[in-house]
PDB file of all heavy atoms in Angstrom:
ATOM      1  N   ALA A 326      21.823  20.757  -0.989  1.00 94.00           N
ATOM      2  CA  ALA A 326      21.966  20.483   0.446  1.00 94.00           C
ATOM      3  C   ALA A 326      22.459  19.052   0.659  1.00 94.00           C
ATOM      4  O   ALA A 326      23.368  18.807   1.462  1.00 94.00           O
ATOM      5  CB  ALA A 326      20.635  20.716   1.166  1.00 94.00           C
ATOM      6  N   LEU A 327      21.869  18.119  -0.108  1.00 92.00           N
ATOM      7  CA  LEU A 327      22.260  16.713   0.024  1.00 92.00           C
ATOM      8  C   LEU A 327      23.696  16.495  -0.433  1.00 92.00           C
ATOM      9  O   LEU A 327      24.469  15.774   0.185  1.00 92.00           O
ATOM     10  CB  LEU A 327      21.318  15.828  -0.801  1.00 92.00           C
ATOM     11  CG  LEU A 327      19.904  15.690  -0.234  1.00 92.00           C
ATOM     12  CD1 LEU A 327      19.007  14.975  -1.237  1.00 92.00           C
ATOM     13  CD2 LEU A 327      19.922  14.953   1.095  1.00 92.00           C
ATOM     14  N   GLU A 328      24.044  17.170  -1.536  1.00 94.00           N
ATOM     15  CA  GLU A 328      25.377  17.027  -2.106  1.00 94.00           C
ATOM     16  C   GLU A 328      26.437  17.501  -1.100  1.00 94.00           C
ATOM     17  O   GLU A 328      27.449  16.838  -0.888  1.00 94.00           O
ATOM     18  CB  GLU A 328      25.424  17.885  -3.381  1.00 94.00           C
ATOM     19  CG  GLU A 328      26.595  17.681  -4.289  1.00 94.00           C
ATOM     20  CD  GLU A 328      26.533  18.704  -5.431  1.00 94.00           C
ATOM     21  OE1 GLU A 328      25.482  18.786  -6.106  1.00 94.00           O
ATOM     22  OE2 GLU A 328      27.520  19.434  -5.596  1.00 94.00           O
ATOM     23  N   ILE A 329      26.189  18.651  -0.505  1.00 95.00           N
ATOM     24  CA  ILE A 329      27.154  19.189   0.459  1.00 95.00           C
ATOM     25  C   ILE A 329      27.257  18.271   1.673  1.00 95.00           C
ATOM     26  O   ILE A 329      28.351  17.966   2.153  1.00 95.00           O
ATOM     27  CB  ILE A 329      26.742  20.605   0.899  1.00 95.00           C
ATOM     28  CG1 ILE A 329      26.818  21.549  -0.301  1.00 95.00           C
ATOM     29  CG2 ILE A 329      27.633  21.116   2.010  1.00 95.00           C
ATOM     30  CD1 ILE A 329      26.170  22.877  -0.060  1.00 95.00           C
ATOM     31  N   SER A 330      26.097  17.820   2.140  1.00 94.00           N
ATOM     32  CA  SER A 330      26.103  16.946   3.292  1.00 94.00           C
ATOM     33  C   SER A 330      26.897  15.672   3.001  1.00 94.00           C
ATOM     34  O   SER A 330      27.657  15.180   3.843  1.00 94.00           O
ATOM     35  CB  SER A 330      24.662  16.627   3.676  1.00 94.00           C
ATOM     36  OG  SER A 330      24.632  15.718   4.735  1.00 94.00           O
ATOM     37  N   ARG A 331      26.724  15.149   1.777  1.00 94.00           N
ATOM     38  CA  ARG A 331      27.464  13.938   1.382  1.00 94.00           C
ATOM     39  C   ARG A 331      28.962  14.206   1.311  1.00 94.00           C
ATOM     40  O   ARG A 331      29.769  13.405   1.755  1.00 94.00           O
ATOM     41  CB  ARG A 331      26.961  13.438   0.020  1.00 94.00           C
ATOM     42  CG  ARG A 331      25.957  12.292   0.124  1.00 94.00           C
ATOM     43  CD  ARG A 331      25.815  11.550  -1.200  1.00 94.00           C
ATOM     44  NE  ARG A 331      25.537  12.446  -2.299  1.00 94.00           N
ATOM     45  CZ  ARG A 331      24.300  12.775  -2.715  1.00 94.00           C
ATOM     46  NH1 ARG A 331      23.237  12.257  -2.122  1.00 94.00           N
ATOM     47  NH2 ARG A 331      24.122  13.602  -3.717  1.00 94.00           N
ATOM     48  N   TYR A 332      29.322  15.365   0.759  1.00 96.00           N
ATOM     49  CA  TYR A 332      30.742  15.704   0.667  1.00 96.00           C
ATOM     50  C   TYR A 332      31.358  15.817   2.071  1.00 96.00           C
ATOM     51  O   TYR A 332      32.460  15.334   2.327  1.00 96.00           O
ATOM     52  CB  TYR A 332      30.953  17.014  -0.117  1.00 96.00           C
ATOM     53  CG  TYR A 332      32.410  17.367  -0.215  1.00 96.00           C
ATOM     54  CD1 TYR A 332      33.262  16.633  -1.036  1.00 96.00           C
ATOM     55  CD2 TYR A 332      32.944  18.402   0.559  1.00 96.00           C
ATOM     56  CE1 TYR A 332      34.613  16.916  -1.094  1.00 96.00           C
ATOM     57  CE2 TYR A 332      34.309  18.687   0.504  1.00 96.00           C
ATOM     58  CZ  TYR A 332      35.131  17.944  -0.319  1.00 96.00           C
ATOM     59  OH  TYR A 332      36.469  18.203  -0.378  1.00 96.00           O
ATOM     60  N   LEU A 334      30.417  14.280   4.702  1.00 95.00           N
ATOM     61  CA  LEU A 334      30.578  12.913   5.223  1.00 95.00           C
ATOM     62  C   LEU A 334      31.892  12.302   4.743  1.00 95.00           C
ATOM     63  O   LEU A 334      32.599  11.654   5.506  1.00 95.00           O
ATOM     64  CB  LEU A 334      29.417  12.013   4.782  1.00 95.00           C
ATOM     65  CG  LEU A 334      28.121  12.067   5.595  1.00 95.00           C
ATOM     66  CD1 LEU A 334      27.134  11.064   5.038  1.00 95.00           C
ATOM     67  CD2 LEU A 334      28.361  11.804   7.074  1.00 95.00           C
ATOM     68  N   ALA A 340      26.932  16.502   9.203  1.00 95.00           N
ATOM     69  CA  ALA A 340      26.094  17.703   9.237  1.00 95.00           C
ATOM     70  C   ALA A 340      24.944  17.469   8.281  1.00 95.00           C
ATOM     71  O   ALA A 340      25.087  17.647   7.075  1.00 95.00           O
ATOM     72  CB  ALA A 340      26.893  18.935   8.819  1.00 95.00           C
TER      73      ALA A 340
END
Side-chain angles (χ1 to χ4, degrees):
L327 288 171
E328 192 185 307
I329 295 168
S330 176
R331 261 198 308 268
Y332 180 72
L334 277 183

